[in-house]
Amino acid sequence: MRFLVTRPEEDSAPLADALSALGHEAVLAPLLDIRFLEDAELPEAAWQALLVTSANGVRALARHDHAASLLSLPILAVGPASADAARAAGFAQVEAAGGDVNSLAEHVAKSLDPKAGPLLHVAGSAVAGDLAGMLEERGFSVTRAVLYDARLASELPEIARAALEAGSLDGVLLYSPRTARAFASLVRKAGLEARVKGLAAYCLSAAVADALDDLPGLTVKIARAPDQAALIALLPA
């Protein structure tokens, strides 16, 4: 089967490999362009732990001049992909939550003590959910460091447009509400609403699926858990 992959470039290649291993073909059409903020400041404090809500946050942190001084700190990651990125970057104490911000907040609350020190949330310019707010309600002090910018595509990538026009896709894989919303908006902008009728949208979570409400005709499927393994498990054998 042939699936449209909308993930950023660095994340799309491993996903394409996973699809290929199952006999599927990936059409790579990133809807987000990740730009690392080279001059971003990394606040200094006696951090208790680091929080990461995306693999791109880890990559941005690893590029920073002061990253080496943080390698000894524990990292609590939103899910398996960001945890794997943290281990690859050299962090030894890595724990993964259930795949979304709510599960990360719960994991932090169970694992850490608000009195043991502040937390540093490494993130992009746009975040899903209010991680700091949820933790501050529980007595934690959280500082957010914005180390990258995820910019949405202004047009549907030509390879995606051509595949939709040709009717050669079996589905689209969507990992975030922001990307799903962008996909719906760009499809409408291209005048291709009729071309997605009956197309299967494989969504990482209910929140991702909800972002497609204004694009009728899709067959929406939601992963049992907000991680890539659960999403791939949705695909036909």
Side-chain angles (χ1 to χ4, degrees), residues 171-189:
V172 54
L173 277 57
L174 298 166
Y175 277 64
S176 73
R178 191 178 183 208
T179 304
R181 202 171 295 112
F183 175 72
S185 174
L186 295 176
V187 164
R188 290 196 307 273
K189 183 178 180 180

Side-chain angles (χ1 to χ4, degrees), residues 97-120:
D100 59 25
V101 172
N102 292 331
S103 69
L104 178 56
E106 290 296 324
H107 188 67
V108 170
K110 292 177 181 178
S111 304
L112 303 179
D113 181 353
K115 297 178 182 179
L119 306 173
L120 180 62

Side-chain angles (χ1 to χ4, degrees), residues 68-159:
S69 65
L70 302 176
L71 288 175
S72 62
L73 291 175
I75 278 194
L76 279 70
V78 70
S82 49
D84 288 345
R87 294 185 187 99
F91 290 91
Q93 302 180 64
V94 182
E95 297 179 12
D100 59 25
V101 172
N102 292 331
S103 69
L104 178 56
E106 290 296 324
H107 188 67
V108 170
K110 292 177 181 178
S111 304
L112 303 179
D113 181 353
K115 297 178 182 179
L119 306 173
L120 180 62
H121 176 201
V122 176
S125 54
V127 293
D130 183 12
L131 179 61
M134 287 187 279
L135 291 175
E136 286 166 358
E137 287 180 354
R138 300 169 187 246
F140 289 93
S141 174
V142 182
T143 297
R144 180 174 157 219
V146 176
L147 300 187
Y148 72 94
D149 185 23
R151 301 187 182 183
L152 289 170
S154 59
E155 303 283 345
L156 195 66
E158 183 55 37
I159 192 170

